[in-house]
Amino acid sequence: MIKAIRNIFNLPPKNQNQTNEDEGSKIPLKTDLEENIKTVKASLGHSPDIVIREIQIGKKGNIPAAVIFTDGLADTKSVNHLIIESLVTDIRITELDPEISSQTNTFDKLKKFALAVGDIKDSTDFETLFTSVLSGDTALLVDGFAQGLIIGLKGWEDRGVQESTSQNVIRGPKEGFSENIRTNTALIRRKINDPNLWLENQQIGRITKTNVSFMYIKGIASEKVIEEVRERLGRIDIDGILESGYIEELIQDEKFTVFPTVFNSERPDVIAAGLLEGRIAILVDGTPFVLLVPAIFTQFFQSAEDYYQRADIASLVRILRYLSFFIALLAPSLYIAITTFHHDLLPPQLLFSLAAQHEGVPFPALIEALIMEITFEILREAGIRMPRSVGQAVSIVGALVIGQAAVEAGIVSAVMVIVVAITAIASFVLPAYNMGNSVRILRFGLMFMAASFGLFGIMLGLIGIVQHLCQLRSFGIPFMASFAPSIPSDKKDGLIRLPRWEMFSRPRFLSQRNIIREDYPPIRGSKHNGKK
């Protein structure tokens, strides 16, 4: 059908434009420096931020050359000091003569004697030159040679390493990822100083050419998952990648689900812990959020602070998160079902109190809940989008004023305001924001089921949700592991967290390689139990 539509409107086949552009951009460099400079200026639209510095090099200063870089992306001081000053004033390169020197020997001498830079690559076509220069690198072209050097001197301004804003902890590291992908990889390598931590790079996006990397620990991560990540990233064909959310949506297993099947974090310690378990981290240049795959359901209820506190405290807090999850999901539905169909489940005094409060309200319980839930969602979005100085005040004051005014006006009952408030507070307990979004969506569906069939409708909805969860996969791994399928050895970090000495093995559902974290449990307590 798509092919027929393309034939009707004379549209080119998929990827034909890209192929033509690639063939056109694979133009080799010329030996004439002036022609190369004209091509660069014409191709880049004579943009003023593209700096082309023409210099004379060689012992006699009679060899024309050009240094090309993008102002604002390259480190200008390093370009002036390590390239231009070195080439102009250094007289050790005595054979920069295209008539008597081979191209390879000349550029080898430039690398070894004249350029005090570590990252140097060769370039023979304009596509490589444009991509490198527009990414922050510096290009060096010499007259008489159909070749250039790409010198890595990126130096744009970035936010630097700051505290994570979306995943705060009381105890633990405060550093968070930045928008610079090299800063992010360095933060991970600071946590894992091992040669088996491997990094692979790709450029995704026909126009943006965004740098995308994925990291894994060789010998721990599953080779099948590594190959699957490599293949899915290689299949992405899009004009631009601006944030890791693009990658997440394009590589996830299930395209239509409200539950997130790719985990993300802006904390280096969380990503390092995932790598040590056998997961794979996907980093995208330009965003502080790093993806972690495969992901499972219980992972979205775990916080970094769980592993920096004692096991009993961490387990108690984790149980509280699961309880909050069910409150945020079911509280409005249970209220609607009980007050509409199942009055006999309430104590008589509470039933009389609810009936008295609802006496002056003209709407049924479902309409009450919808009014309050939609109002709260509007206030929450307004608080997020407005400036930080007034956003919090708008969300809190707005909720209080509107809730009280709605009760006094007789639009909703006071109990409904309490139920919606508890639901909203419980949803904020979840560590993962995207899992909270899933609860927000499902809550409305369960409210309609409760209004139609009562508790029976809620049970049908829960059965459907559980069935859907059991069908989900994340890079081939069951989303509900280690509960479905049941893996007893992997439940030590699920609903609760066992003590550190009990967590001696890695999750078996991720990989069957290098399972054991430690050879034997550590000694707990004094050797003599406090006795001499």
Side-chain angles (χ1 to χ4, degrees):
M1 182 177 180
I2 297 177
K3 185 176 180 180
I5 294 175
R6 291 185 178 275
N7 293 333
I8 293 175
F9 292 97
N10 295 324
L11 296 177
K14 184 180 180 181
N15 294 336
Q16 179 173 324
N17 291 337
Q18 179 185 356
T19 304
N20 294 337
E21 292 175 2
D22 291 343
E23 293 176 355
S25 58
K26 288 284 187 180
I27 302 175
L29 293 171
K30 308 285 194 309
T31 56
D32 189 358
L33 179 63
E34 292 296 330
E35 292 186 10
N36 289 334
I37 293 176
K38 289 181 181 179
T39 303
V40 170
K41 291 181 178 179
S43 299
L44 299 179
H46 299 272
S47 302
D49 60 337
I50 306 299
V51 180
I52 302 178
R53 176 73 163 83
E54 299 185 44
I55 57 177
Q56 298 288 331
I57 62 177
K59 184 174 182 180
K60 299 180 181 179
N62 59 346
I63 305 298
V67 177
I68 306 172
F69 61 94
T70 303
D71 188 17
L73 296 182
D75 187 352
T76 307
K77 293 183 179 179
S78 298
V79 172
N80 293 332
H81 177 66
L82 299 178
I83 299 180
I84 298 177
E85 183 179 346
S86 177
L87 291 175
V88 171
T89 61
D90 203 327
I91 62 173
R92 288 177 294 183
I93 306 302
T94 59
E95 296 182 0
L96 278 179
D97 189 346
E99 297 181 358
I100 61 176
S101 297
S102 67
Q103 182 171 343
T104 303
N105 292 336
T106 298
F107 280 94
D108 286 342
K109 290 182 179 180
L110 282 173
K111 296 177 184 178
K112 294 179 180 179
F113 301 111
L115 299 175
V117 183
D119 185 12
I120 302 178
K121 297 177 291 185
D122 296 332
S123 174
T124 58
D125 58 83
F126 283 101
E127 180 188 14
T128 305
L129 186 143
F130 292 150
T131 302
S132 302
V133 170
L134 295 176
S135 299
D137 294 328
T138 302
L140 173 64
L141 303 178
V142 180
D143 189 34
F145 299 98
Q147 182 181 355
L149 293 179
I150 303 299
I151 307 165
L153 289 176
K154 296 182 176 69
W156 57 75
E157 295 292 333
D158 58 24
R159 188 167 53 94
V161 179
Q162 298 180 2
E163 184 176 355
S164 172
T165 57
S166 63
Q167 298 172 338
N168 298 322
V169 295
I170 302 299
R171 179 177 180 178
K174 302 297 183 181
E175 60 187 6
F177 289 120
S178 70
E179 285 73 16
N180 191 336
I181 191 172
R182 281 295 157 258
T183 302
N184 297 340
T185 56
L187 289 173
I188 296 176
R189 289 196 180 276
R190 280 185 58 192
K191 302 290 183 182
I192 305 177
N193 301 320
D194 190 271
N196 291 321
L197 179 59
W198 288 12
L199 174 70
E200 296 186 22
N201 293 326
Q202 294 186 19
Q203 278 193 344
I204 302 179
R206 297 191 298 268
I207 298 177
T208 60
K209 293 182 173 60
T210 305
N211 290 323
V212 178
S213 305
F214 65 94
M215 302 181 74
Y216 58 91
I217 299 180
K218 185 69 174 180
I220 295 180
S222 171
E223 291 293 339
K224 295 177 65 175
V225 178
I226 294 173
E227 183 60 32
E228 185 69 21
V229 171
R230 187 183 295 116
E231 181 182 354
R232 293 190 187 187
L233 291 177
R235 289 202 307 259
I236 296 177
D237 181 18
I238 194 172
D239 58 351
I241 299 292
L242 301 180
E243 212 273 337
S244 59
Y246 286 56
I247 300 294
E248 177 180 351
E249 193 171 357
L250 292 171
I251 66 174
Q252 62 185 0
D253 290 61
E254 185 67 33
K255 303 301 181 183
F256 302 102
T257 178
V258 297
F259 291 99
T261 56
V262 177
F263 187 78
N264 68 81
S265 175
E266 59 173 342
R267 295 184 57 86
D269 56 334
V270 173
I271 300 301
L275 292 173
L276 290 172
E277 289 183 340
R279 291 182 168 89
I280 301 173
I282 303 175
L283 301 91
V284 181
D285 194 21
T287 176
F289 289 92
V290 176
L291 306 180
L292 200 61
V293 296
I296 60 175
F297 181 74
T298 57
Q299 188 177 356
F300 295 90
F301 294 86
Q302 300 170 358
S303 173
E305 198 170 4
D306 292 351
Y307 305 94
Y308 306 141
Q309 299 195 25
R310 289 169 40 187
D312 51 355
I313 299 176
S315 299
L316 177 63
V317 175
R318 189 172 294 180
I319 293 174
L320 182 63
R321 295 193 191 111
Y322 284 102
L323 179 61
S324 300
F325 171 79
F326 285 106
I327 291 175
L329 181 65
L330 299 174
S333 306
L334 290 175
Y335 175 81
I336 294 172
I338 293 174
T339 57
T340 306
F341 297 99
H342 309 282
H343 303 100
D344 52 338
L345 296 179
L346 296 176
Q349 292 183 351
L350 179 58
L351 180 61
F352 295 151
S353 176
L354 293 178
Q357 294 181 25
H358 198 269
E359 184 177 358
V361 178
F363 304 112
L366 175 63
I367 303 301
E368 279 188 88
L370 288 176
I371 292 174
M372 293 306 301
E373 286 289 345
I374 294 175
T375 302
F376 178 76
E377 294 296 336
I378 293 174
L379 289 173
R380 174 153 62 175
E381 287 300 315
I384 294 175
R385 309 305 168 194
M386 293 187 67
R388 185 175 302 177
S389 57
V390 297
Q392 187 175 5
V394 167
S395 58
I396 295 177
V397 176
L400 292 174
V401 172
I402 293 178
Q404 183 178 0
V407 173
E408 293 180 354
I411 299 177
V412 297
S413 61
V415 178
M416 179 57 72
V417 176
I418 296 175
V419 170
V420 172
I422 293 176
T423 303
I425 295 173
S427 65
F428 291 136
V429 177
L430 302 180
Y433 181 76
N434 45 6
M435 182 58 73
N437 290 335
S438 303
V439 174
R440 293 164 65 183
I441 297 173
L442 294 174
R443 186 163 61 230
F444 285 96
L446 290 175
M447 287 165 56
F448 283 101
M449 294 290 290
S452 302
F453 306 103
L455 292 178
F456 180 71
I458 295 178
M459 293 303 299
L460 286 179
L462 290 178
I463 292 173
I465 292 173
V466 173
Q467 184 179 7
H468 176 69
L469 286 172
C470 293
Q471 293 176 348
L472 292 179
R473 295 289 186 273
S474 178
F475 284 79
I477 303 298
F479 189 60
M480 291 302 293
S482 56
F483 299 98
S486 178
I487 307 176
S489 61
D490 290 347
K491 295 179 181 179
K492 55 185 176 294
D493 192 21
L495 296 178
I496 61 173
R497 182 180 81 80
L498 295 183
R500 184 69 60 183
W501 56 81
E502 296 290 345
M503 301 174 61
F504 56 87
S505 62
R506 294 184 175 87
R508 295 181 180 273
F509 62 84
L510 288 176
S511 176
Q512 299 295 325
R513 309 169 61 193
N514 198 356
I515 293 294
I516 305 301
R517 291 177 180 264
E518 55 187 33
D519 293 334
Y520 53 87
I523 298 176
R524 299 183 293 277
S526 174
K527 181 177 181 181
H528 302 287
N529 295 324
K531 299 180 180 180
K532 294 184 179 180

